[in-house]
Structures are given as structure tokens and as C-alpha cells.
């Protein structure tokens, strides 16, 4: 099985770090130790060994001091700095893909600092484009016995699912304190959740749902989330006792298969559409450049003949995602060929020796276009006077 990535996300206090510790221990007990990454720059100590730790390269307190930031701002900035080297991180993990089956990633307790930041998206996208990636959304079960709190957590999970567009497992943690069967029932039985809302309102009155409007909103949200629940796997675990982690790993394997079958194809389709859009933008930019230089008339000559010597070639100065850098062909002895419509074929690449000649042709083309435009304007004025 290829190396799969599990990104652990959850509200502060939901038990992400303890979950990571137990998951690490559980996998090691099965003789399949995971590759562990910590992305929380503000944590003082992690109760497990890490292969990659953001704290080794980013000093959280120094970031606060140097940039005059508060706690959350320093976390976001630390992630921004770390994400600039994400290609190196991916390469390190790739080099170990034959030795590990799982890569588990711990994220900051301030969930919004990771999920809704640009760096969080870069990190998630980088892993998801290289390895089968699953989101584990950790939920504090005892704090979600209230229907309102439960619904708030599910809405947050829904937003993360559609933000990342990755398979998700909702992990109800701390089942040693509160059994998660009530949550499973609420997610599969709409009437059961409706009864829980009604009971909570009768029991707590205004202290519970707050108002009739809140009760109506929660009921409406539960109807809307019915389709959302069908896309999720729900698992109850106890990071304290280790209960439920076999079920969690089974769900991870299932979601990896789902990633390969659905999510990977969808991501490739989106990337291909993006490439096509960028290709059309470049072609449009090139045509506009050729038209401005008066060199666009030879374009029709290339239709139906790809090997025609008058085919247009994008120059290595074209604007694009690589900031103007176009890599040379890797094959040795292959010379880059630049051809311009209406001109003789020019072998070799543009360099310091023939730059003056190229500049001269550009200048002549501009002067010719300018002269033709001036003549046409003069004729129009004369025709207007005669009329």
C-alpha cells in the first residue's frame, strides 16, 4: 500500500496531540511505525517522537518578538515561513515512502490558523497532490452532548471538507468519558436529533437553545447536513485507553481507496483545467504580442502543418507562473529553435551575439507598422476633406 497521509485537525482542547500520541503508539505496536510531523510551533512539548518538527526551523517566540505579533499572528507567520520550504519537506517524506505506510501530521490547536490560512492550504495541497491524504477531524465528545454544540462542530467539519476537498473522518475522541453512540444516532436518524433538540429546549429553556429562532435554525441545519453525513466516516475512539483505533485505521484505508477512485481523479481534472486555462492565456498573450509587432500575418500558414518552419514559438521572456524562466530541453545537443512568421529560419537560441540583430528586426517591424498606420491615417483625412 502506498504511503498515506493523515492530517489531524480539531478545535482547541479536543485532544489532537493525545490522539497523535496514541495513534503513534498503536501503529508502533503493530510494527508499522508512522512518519510523524508536528506543525504546531507554539507547543512546548510533544509526547511523541517526530521526524519533522516545525520548531526545529521556526522559533515561535522570536517570530512574536521580531514581527511584533500576538499568539495567533505568530502561529500564522510561523506556518507561512515553514510553507516556503514545503517542497523540501515533501521530498524528505517521498524518500521514506518505501519504509512507512502512514504519515501523521499534528496541526496547531488554533484551528483557524491552519485551515483558513494560505500556508495551511499550501501545506495541505502539497501533501494531497503527492500522497493519498485524509483529514481526521477530532471532536471532543463530552462537550458535544448539547445539540447546539454538536451542530456547530458539524458545520465546521462541513466547511473544512469543502475547503480541502479531501476525504474526511470525524473522530469522536474521549469515549472513555462519554460514549459517542448518541452522535452516531444523531448523524443517521434525523428524528432522533429533532427529539434531542426539543428535549434540550424543554429542559434548559432560554438557557439551552437561546430562542425559538435558534431552535428553528438548528433543525434546518440538520436537514441540510443529511447529505454531508453520507460523505463521512464516523469513528469513536479513546486516546486514554486506545479503544477504537483499529476502527480508525480501517476507516483510513477505506478513505485512501476513496481518494484514489474519486478525489484523485477530480483533483487531476481541476489541475488539467487550470493548465488549459493558462495555456490559452499564454497563446492569447503571444498573439497580442505578435500583432503589436506586426508579425501575426504568418500564423495562418501553420494551420494543418505542425512541422512548418513558420510555426510560432513562445519566447523565453514570456510572462507566466515561472516568472519568465523557461527551462531548456534536457536532451544534450538539442538547440532551441526560434522562428518568426515572415522571416527566414533562425537556428540556435537568442544570446548576446545575436540580440542586436533581433532588436534590429523588432525595430524595423515597429517602424513599418508605424509607417503603414500613418499612411492610412493620412488617406482617411484626405478622403474626409474631399467629402
Amino acid at each position: 500500500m502506498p504511503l498515506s497521509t493523515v492530517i489531524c485537525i480539531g478545535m482547541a482542547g479536543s485532544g489532537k496531540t493525545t490522539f497523535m500520541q496514541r495513534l503513534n503508539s498503536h501503529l508502533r505496536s503493530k510494527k508499522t511505525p508512522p512518519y510523524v510531523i508536528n506543525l504546531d510551533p507554539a507547543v512546548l512539548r510533544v509526547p511523541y517522537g517526530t521526524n519533522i518538527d516545525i520548531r526545529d526551523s521556526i522559533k515561535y517566540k522570536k517570530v512574536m518578538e521580531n514581527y511584533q505579533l500576538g499568539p495567533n499572528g505568530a502561529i500564522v507567520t510561523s506556518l507561512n515561513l515553514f510553507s516556503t520550504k514545503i517542497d523540501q519537506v515533501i521530498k524528505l517524506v517521498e524518500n521514506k515512502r518505501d519504509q512507512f505506510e502512514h504519515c501523521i501530521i499534528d496541526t496547531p490547536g488554533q484551528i483557524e490558523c491552519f485551515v483558513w490560512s494560505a500556508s495551511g492550504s499550501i501545506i495541505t495541497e502539497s501533501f494531497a497532490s503527492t500522497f493519498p491524504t485524509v483529514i481526521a477531524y477530532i471532536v471532543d465528545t463530552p462537550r458535544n452532548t448539547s445539540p447546539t454544540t454538536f451542530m456547530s462542530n458539524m458545520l465546521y467539519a462541513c466547511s473544512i471538507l469543502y475547503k480541502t476537498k479531501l476525504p474526511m473522518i470525524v473522530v469522536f475522541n474521549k469515549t472513555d468519558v462519554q460514549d459517542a453512540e448518541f452522535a452516531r444516532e444523531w448523524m443517521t436518524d434525523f428524528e432522533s436529533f429533532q427529539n434531542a433538540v426539543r428535549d434540550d429546549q424543554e429542559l434548559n429553556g432560554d438557557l439551552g437553545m437561546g430562542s425559538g429562532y435558534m431552535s428553528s435554525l438548528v433543525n434546518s441545519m440538520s436537514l441540510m447536513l443529511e447529505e454531508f453525513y453520507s460523505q463521512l466516516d464516523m469513528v469513536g475512539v479513546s486516546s486514554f485507553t486506545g479503544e477504537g483505533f483499529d476502527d480508525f485505521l480501517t476507516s483510513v484505508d477505506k478513505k485512501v481507496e476513496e481518494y484514489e477512485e474519486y478525489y484523485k481523479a477530480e483533483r487531476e481534472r481541476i489541475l488539467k483545467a487550470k493548465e488549459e486555462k493558462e495555456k490559452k492565456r499564454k497563446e492569447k498573450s503571444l498573439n497580442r504580442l505578435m500583432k503589436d509587432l506586426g508579425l501575426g500575418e504568418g500564423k495562418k500558414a501553420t494551420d494543418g502543418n505542425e512541422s512548418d518552419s513558420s510555426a510560432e514559438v513562445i519566447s523565453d521572456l514570456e510572462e507566466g507562473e515561472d516568472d519568465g524562466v523557461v527551462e531548456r530541453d534536457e536532451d544534450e545537443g538539442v538547440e532551441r529553435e526560434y522562428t518568426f512568421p515572415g522571416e527566414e529560419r533562425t537556428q540556435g537560441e537568442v544570446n548576446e551575439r545575436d540580440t542586436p540583430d533581433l532588436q534590429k528586426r523588432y525595430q524595423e517591424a515597429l517602424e513599418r507598422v508605424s509607417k503603414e498606420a500613418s499612411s492610412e491615417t493620412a488617406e482617411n483625412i484626405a478622403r474626409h476633406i474631399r467629402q
Side-chain angles (χ1 to χ4, degrees), residues 121-309:
S121 297
I122 291 171
I123 293 169
T124 303
E125 289 288 326
S126 298
F127 276 99
S129 60
T130 312
F131 311 103
T133 303
V134 178
I135 301 296
Y137 182 71
I138 316 299
V139 178
D140 186 348
T141 307
R143 294 178 60 186
N144 280 267
T145 53
S146 165
T148 310
T149 309
F150 174 83
M151 183 55 58
S152 299
N153 254 291
M154 292 301 100
L155 287 173
Y156 214 117
C158 179
S159 65
I160 293 173
L161 175 67
Y162 289 106
K163 175 72 167 59
T164 60
K165 295 181 176 64
L166 290 171
M168 176 181 284
I169 303 172
V170 178
V171 182
F172 283 88
N173 197 12
K174 306 180 184 179
T175 55
D176 56 295
V177 178
Q178 173 66 55
D179 188 77
E181 197 57 37
F182 75 93
R184 189 186 303 275
E185 187 177 353
W186 286 357
M187 294 174 68
T188 55
D189 187 352
F190 172 74
E191 291 185 359
S192 175
F193 182 77
Q194 295 286 312
N195 292 334
V197 171
R198 186 163 50 252
D199 293 343
D200 183 73
Q201 192 173 19
E202 291 176 356
L203 179 64
N204 298 309
D206 292 340
L207 296 177
M209 302 303 296
S211 66
Y213 171 77
M214 189 64 180
S215 174
S216 175
L217 176 63
V218 170
N219 285 329
S220 300
M221 290 295 100
S222 63
L223 280 172
M224 184 273 291
L225 290 179
E226 189 173 2
E227 179 66 23
F228 166 66
Y229 293 147
S230 66
Q231 306 298 320
L232 298 178
D233 275 17
M234 178 266 180
V235 179
V237 302
S238 170
S239 298
F240 181 72
T241 64
E243 180 186 359
F245 277 83
D246 283 328
D247 294 337
F248 173 75
L249 292 175
T250 301
S251 294
V252 170
D253 293 340
K254 177 182 175 183
K255 287 299 180 181
V256 167
E257 294 176 359
E258 187 178 310
Y259 172 92
E260 295 287 353
E261 185 175 357
Y262 300 108
Y263 287 83
K264 185 178 180 180
E266 178 65 14
R267 294 178 71 82
E268 289 176 351
R269 184 191 67 78
I270 293 173
L271 290 174
K272 186 176 180 181
K274 185 178 180 181
E275 289 176 0
E276 289 292 331
K277 185 177 180 181
E278 180 65 16
K279 183 179 178 181
K280 290 180 181 179
R281 187 194 68 79
K282 288 183 177 181
E283 289 178 354
K284 185 177 180 181
S285 177
L286 176 63
N287 291 336
R288 187 163 57 246
L289 173 64
M290 290 300 184
K291 183 177 180 181
D292 291 343
L293 295 175
L295 302 174
E297 295 179 358
K299 184 177 180 180
K300 293 182 179 179
T302 65
D303 292 342
N305 186 6
E306 296 180 358
S307 62
D308 197 298
S309 62

